[in-house]
Amino acid sequence: MHIEAMTASEVAWHERALCAQTGAEFFFPEPGSSVREAKRICELCESRSACLEYALANDERFGVWGGLSEKERLHLRRTEGDR
């Protein structure tokens, strides 16, 4: 995530996010690796909904954002597009 390109409110949620306090390897694992640990951390994070909103609004295509994997966010976008 490029902090310099984020607005003040985006920086605020990111600074409070648990992912900012852990290693990026959980949230951007090697292809085929488990995202289970990242999702577990996201479940406990108060910034989860803001993170997911950011990822969807900015079409983040890699990593776990707001507790969802790339495939899950793609499915969510497609499902919401059908409405």
Side-chain angles (χ1 to χ4, degrees):
M1 183 178 310
H2 302 289
I3 297 293
E4 62 276 358
M6 297 171 72
T7 67
S9 64
E10 290 168 344
V11 171
W13 72 256
H14 187 262
E15 288 176 347
R16 291 188 314 269
L18 293 177
C19 62
Q21 302 166 30
T22 59
E25 67 273 4
F26 291 121
F27 301 92
F28 297 94
E30 294 294 320
S33 297
S34 175
V35 294
R36 187 178 307 127
E37 189 62 31
K39 288 182 172 192
R40 191 172 298 136
I41 293 168
C42 289
E43 285 177 17
L44 302 172
C45 185
E46 68 179 52
S47 299
R48 182 178 179 181
S49 62
C51 178
L52 181 57
E53 286 178 32
Y54 175 86
L56 294 172
N58 291 282
D59 198 25
E60 291 290 346
R61 298 197 180 203
F62 301 99
V64 175
W65 291 79
L68 299 181
S69 68
E70 299 100 336
K71 289 180 182 179
E72 292 166 329
R73 289 192 309 277
L74 179 61
H75 178 73
L76 181 62
R77 278 193 291 271
R78 287 181 177 167
T79 302
E80 288 182 349
D82 292 341
R83 292 182 188 177

